[in-house]
Structure formats: C-alpha cells, structure tokens
Amino acid sequence: MSGKNIVKAELGRRSFLWGGVGVASLALTGCGSSAKSTAGKASSAADVTLPTFVPLAGGAAPDLPATAAGVPAAYYTYPAAPVAAYSAPPLSGGKISAMTPLFTSPPSGHDANPAWQAVEKALGAKVDITMIVGDDYDTKLSTTVAGDSLPDIVVITADPANLPGLLAAKFADLTPLLGGDKAKQYPHLAAIPTAVWEQCTSAGKLYFIPIPRNISAGSGFYRQDMFAAAGVNDCRDIKNADDFLTLLKEITVPGKQYGVAGSSGNGGFSAMPFLHIFGVPNMWRLDGGGNLTAHYETDEYKAAVEFMAKVYKAGCYLPGSQGWTKNQMEDAFQSGKAALIYDGLPGFGVAYQQAKKISPAAAPAPFVPFGHAGGKGVTWKDNIYFARVALKKADPARLADVLKACDFFASPFGTKEHMLLNFGVEGTDYTLDENHNPVLTAQGKNDTLVTFKYLSAPTQAQFYPGQKDLTDLMYKSYTDEIALAVADPTASLYSPTAGKKGTALGKAMSDAVAQIITGQSSLSALDSAVKTWRSNGGDQIRSEYQQALQGGTASTASGTPTK
C-alpha cells in the first residue's frame, strides 16, 4: 500500500474510535454442517503450523537496511542490474483467475496492455482479474460467494460475519500446503515474516496469504511548517496535552486554516494521534493474569475522548470535515487548510509530494506522538497487512499451481519480476533515468494499474526514486514509530461473537463518542455506552478471546491494520 496507496486502507478494517471486528457481512449460501461447526470456535494462531520463515539471500543490497524490529529496507535507486527470480516461467499454461478491489482508475485492457501480456508470459499462464471499484467490492464479493462463482484467488478486505463458516465452505485450508517447511517450495512466500502469517489463520487453520505492510500505520501527518509558525518546530518538542491544545488554537484562524481535519472514513475526528498521545492500548489490554480490557474501557481512552471534545469546543476542527471523504481531508492538509490529519504511513509519500507541488515551502511530516503528561506516546502495531488472499477450494495439484502464481506475484524488490509487475515493459511503460530508476511513461501509468499487487506481495521496501529526502524521512519515521508500537493481544485470535456483532457494536460506540466530542452529550455518556457494549456482546467477545488465549500461547507481538 504504498502511496495513497491505495490506501483506502489500509481499508477501514478497524474504526479508529472503536476498533470493531466484522466489517462486512457476506452471504454464506451453501455453508453446510462443517461450516457451522467451525463458526463457533474461538481460535488462535498458536494452534496452527505456520510457514517456516526463510529470509531471501542474494537480493539487492539496500541503502538503509531493514531492522529486526520491522523497519523496512529503503533504496535510493533501483538496482542497476535486477536479478531474475525465476530461470523459467513457474507455470506451463492454463489460466489463473482472481477478484480484487480497485482503488484507482481502470487500467488499460488486456489486449491493449503490453505489461499485462508480459506478466502472463513471465508467469507462464493467463491472468484473468475481475477488478471491482473499492466501495462496491464487499457487495460484489457477497453476490459472487452466493452465486458459487468464485475465481482461484479472492481478496478478503474485511472480516465478514461468520468468517470460519465462509472459509470452511468455500476456501482451501492451506496448512497442508504451506505449513512448516512446505513453505520452502514457495521461497517468496516463505520470506514473509511470521508476525504477518500469524494474521492469516482462522479456526485453527491457515486460510490466507497476506499482502504484507510495515507493522505500524503511524499516528497521522502534520504540517511542520504550520507548527513552526506557531512556535513549535517539531511535534516531538510538545511537552504535554495542554501545550498541544494551546498550539492547535494558535494555528487555527477561522475561515482560513485549522488545527485538525477529519473525514467520515476515520471516525470523523482523526482520532488516532489523540489515542496515541494518551497511551490508549491497541484494541485490548492483556494483564499478567490473562485478563483482557477493551481499549475504550480504559482511563486512557476516556481521557483522549475528553481531550478531543476540548479541541472541538475550541474550534480547532475544520468545520464539516467529519463528513468528508478521505480525498477532501487530504486536499485540506496538502493545501495548508489543516495542520494535522490521520492517514496511514503508506499514504505519506503522496501527501508529501502533492503538498510540495502546491507550495515548495510546505513541510509535511509523519506525526510522532508525545506523551500527554510528558515523555513519549505510543503507536499501534496496526498495519501488518493490507488485505488477505484466500484460494478457492480445489484439488492439491491445482492449488499448487495457484500457489506458484502467488509466489511469482510476491517477487521481491530488486528482481526483474518485481520490475515487470510494478513498472511494465521497458521502453513502452517506463524508461530508466541516469540512476537506473524506472520512470513511467504516459502509457505505463495506465498499463501498471492492473491489480497484481493484490494477488500476493512481498514485504514492502521504501523506494521514492529521485527523492532522497523523502526516503530518509520515511525511514526515520518508521524507525521512530515502530519503536513506540504496541500490539493488539487479540490480533491473531478469532471471536465468533465479534464476527457476528462487531460492526453493530462498534457503530453504537462510535456514535456515542461522536456525540461527546461535539458537545451533544456529556463525558458520562461514555460509561453508559460501554455498559451497553458489554451487555450486548462485548463481554462475550472478551470471554471468547480469553478462551482462545488459554487454548494456546497466542502471539502478542503482532497486530492488524487500516489500507
């Protein structure tokens, strides 16, 4: 999900005010008794034999190395001599079908798209992708499931109600094919870190292939130039929440510019940086006795909501932005109408470049949270993957071919295959500059919109050709933010009740919080909303997660995101 990347995302899987589970509700036509039996099981990734991690050797040497903490490698230029990941096409005929969301304009059609055709030649098979406009994707997926017309590869962008039932009825258990050392047959998939694979299980089985991301989505973006004009050169210099409110008031000039803008897609109030400033736990907190506390049951969450209400009352939120689209929010940030927004780190490159086009003096930067009472804030491990891929049930030989295709689509940065998948055909879709960086042509900008990157993908590298300053800033930001990142202890768990009721429970909480922030309810309404959440299913969700934790030592070093 690099760039705006397609960033619809990093997809709203978790509401930033609530963090609910079960975003979509898919039809489960034909889910038989086996599906019903698995649907009621709370489960943990600890119950599953995950793929053995085998790092790739002999790849392109980065300018800034990846770290054990998860900071992605960074490259100033594309390798001058990309290596071939395959000595021959991995497949020998046939067709791979897929269904993916589309968050850009449509690509050039297959017959007029030399990049698409070249990918098929390198893979050794036809690739038939049905690309659905992102906002319509879950609805289309629901009807496709109901019609029993699934392609080989299906992108699951959000956890549906009764996820295990859907998987058991329609999709392949990949554990026998990828579990343990079996993954070594697919070296690019085996090179995906274990922390990512932990998010790919359900009901005690490995059902998904991940589209990896880079651990943390961060805490949003701020305009360093606007902060500096108000007397603060760097967000890390802010001493506490009171000073921050004073700063936002100083920045705000009604009718011209505001401290914060939100959008309808992130709870309306760009809540994430505030949650991080107040040290709110990542969805749940697990104590030493194995007991879980939901994040909005904590004092930290209540304090963050109270503070956002102060920011709103002070007039620091851009009026009307709570109902905006994400693009409207980003436009306000890039043009200097808002000094702080929440968007995921993968989208920062686009925000940086667009703001610089509007004003060379603009200084966008990722927001690194300070502690509300001094010291450091937290970030969340909430961007482990963009989405997950499931494979339609088939015989083992067919599934092996589809996995070979997925391994091909996960060809890593610095290989000829990665260059082809991302930049197309040299001379037609891209040219090389003096530093060997690929530069897309006008045709290439359309040809390369085919959604190969959603059929599986390698661990991401940071690459902003010709923009060393941006590359350095992103690398430092990931270093800073991942160092503060805390895990969701339930990220690798499944709760049937969360799958069935999570969306409705989350909306009720989000609506109650919005009323408090805008002054239509008092802070005491939060206590009432939490009690209602608990009685309507929250306590049952907690019980099921704790059951899954007791059934195995679930990882607490990982988490899931937003596009």
Side-chain angles (χ1 to χ4, degrees):
M1 167 172 168
S2 106
K4 188 178 224 169
N5 211 0
I6 303 185
V7 149
K8 202 185 170 189
E10 235 60 43
L11 288 183
R13 182 179 294 100
R14 307 253 187 180
S15 156
F16 296 126
L17 290 178
W18 144 238
V21 184
V23 177
S25 180
L26 303 186
L28 299 180
T29 302
C31 294
S33 60
S34 63
K36 291 179 181 177
S37 67
T38 58
K41 179 184 178 183
S43 60
S44 164
D47 303 328
V48 184
T49 301
L50 299 174
T52 299
F53 174 65
V54 183
L56 290 170
D63 293 289
L64 301 170
T67 72
V71 177
Y75 297 79
Y76 295 140
T77 61
Y78 208 91
V83 299
Y86 297 91
S87 58
L91 297 179
S92 54
K95 180 179 75 173
I96 300 296
S97 59
M99 179 177 174
T100 76
L102 178 70
F103 299 114
T104 65
S105 56
S108 311
H110 175 276
D111 292 346
N113 192 324
W116 198 334
Q117 297 167 30
V119 166
E120 292 179 328
K121 182 178 180 180
L123 173 64
K126 295 291 184 182
V127 182
D128 181 9
I129 309 179
T130 300
M131 290 171 269
I132 309 298
V133 174
D135 287 342
D136 299 331
Y137 183 75
D138 287 338
T139 299
K140 177 63 175 178
L141 179 55
S142 179
T143 59
T144 302
V145 170
D148 205 24
S149 54
L150 290 168
D152 297 313
I153 300 173
V154 178
V155 178
I156 306 294
T157 60
D159 291 349
N162 191 20
L163 176 65
L166 171 65
L167 295 172
K170 303 293 185 180
F171 294 101
D173 173 12
L174 301 178
T175 317
L177 299 170
L178 287 176
D181 288 348
K182 295 290 183 63
K184 293 179 180 179
Q185 301 174 70
Y186 311 100
H188 302 146
L189 299 180
I192 296 173
T194 300
V196 184
W197 285 110
E198 287 175 343
Q199 312 307 308
C200 295
T201 69
S202 179
K205 297 178 180 180
L206 181 69
Y207 273 110
F208 300 106
I209 295 169
I211 310 297
R213 289 299 179 257
N214 292 324
I215 308 299
S216 177
S219 296
F221 314 152
Y222 79 109
R223 288 289 297 262
Q224 197 168 21
D225 51 317
M226 296 173 71
F227 274 42
V232 175
N233 292 321
D234 190 297
C235 61
R236 288 166 291 192
D237 295 334
I238 301 170
K239 293 182 176 61
N240 53 48
D242 289 340
D243 284 356
F244 188 41
L245 180 57
T246 299
L247 172 65
L248 294 176
K249 290 178 180 178
E250 181 69 21
I251 289 170
T252 298
V253 180
K256 180 183 178 183
Q257 66 183 40
Y258 293 84
V260 193
S263 77
S264 60
N266 61 37
F269 300 95
S270 284
M272 194 66 84
F274 300 101
L275 301 184
H276 289 174
I277 287 167
F278 281 86
V280 175
N282 184 355
M283 303 300 143
W284 294 84
R285 174 175 288 153
L286 180 66
D287 67 20
N291 300 305
L292 287 168
T293 302
H295 72 296
Y296 42 76
E297 294 178 292
T298 64
D299 292 340
E300 293 91 338
Y301 183 79
K302 191 170 188 177
V305 172
E306 183 179 22
F307 184 77
M308 283 186 282
K310 291 179 181 178
V311 173
Y312 187 91
K313 185 176 181 180
C316 298
Y317 274 102
L318 201 160
S321 63
Q322 290 73 41
W324 278 2
T325 65
K326 183 173 182 175
N327 285 342
Q328 287 176 301
M329 177 186 71
E330 291 169 341
D331 289 345
F333 177 77
Q334 294 160 12
S335 63
K337 294 178 182 176
L340 175 68
I341 62 170
Y342 178 74
D343 193 6
L345 276 174
F348 180 72
V350 168
Y352 180 92
Q353 293 161 6
Q354 291 300 113
K356 288 287 190 181
K357 284 182 182 179
I358 294 171
S359 172
F367 186 84
V368 180
F370 57 91
H372 69 99
K376 299 178 179 180
V378 304
T379 60
W380 291 356
K381 292 184 178 181
D382 57 357
N383 197 22
I384 299 294
Y385 63 82
F386 164 73
R388 299 177 293 182
V389 165
L391 307 188
K392 181 180 69 173
K393 282 187 173 182
D395 62 72
R398 177 58 181 169
L399 288 171
D401 280 348
V402 179
L403 284 171
K404 288 177 184 178
C406 291
D407 193 65
F408 173 86
F409 293 122
S411 296
F413 186 91
T415 63
K416 291 181 179 180
E417 291 80 1
H418 182 277
M419 177 79 93
L420 172 61
L421 288 164
N422 288 273
F423 299 100
V425 177
E426 184 176 2
T428 300
D429 295 308
Y430 72 90
T431 59
L432 294 176
D433 66 16
E434 64 276 11
N435 294 314
H436 309 287
N437 295 314
V439 179
L440 289 174
T441 64
Q443 179 172 341
K445 290 177 181 178
N446 290 323
D447 288 350
T448 57
L449 296 178
V450 181
T451 53
F452 297 124
K453 65 178 128 186
Y454 297 150
L455 304 184
S456 76
T459 299
Q460 289 189 320
Q462 296 300 302
F463 176 59
Y464 302 95
Q467 300 180 81
K468 183 178 182 296
D469 288 348
L470 174 57
T471 304
D472 288 342
L473 178 58
M474 285 299 295
Y475 187 81
K476 185 178 189 310
S477 297
Y478 271 114
T479 300
D480 292 342
E481 305 234 19
I482 289 175
L484 300 174
V486 296
D488 172 3
T490 71
S492 63
L493 310 179
Y494 177 76
S495 157
T497 301
K500 294 175 183 177
K501 296 184 176 182
T503 299
L505 290 173
K507 186 178 186 307
M509 283 296 302
S510 188
D511 289 348
V513 169
Q515 294 278 315
I516 295 168
I517 292 174
T518 57
Q520 299 172 69
S521 298
S522 67
L523 187 62
S524 62
L526 181 61
D527 296 330
S528 176
V530 170
K531 287 180 181 178
T532 300
W533 169 83
R534 292 185 60 181
S535 62
N536 285 351
D539 281 341
Q540 183 63 25
I541 292 171
R542 185 197 328 273
S543 175
E544 290 167 358
Y545 279 148
Q546 291 185 169
Q547 175 189 342
L549 284 168
Q550 292 165 4
T553 306
S555 169
T556 59
S558 55
T560 5
T562 58
K563 234 164 219 186

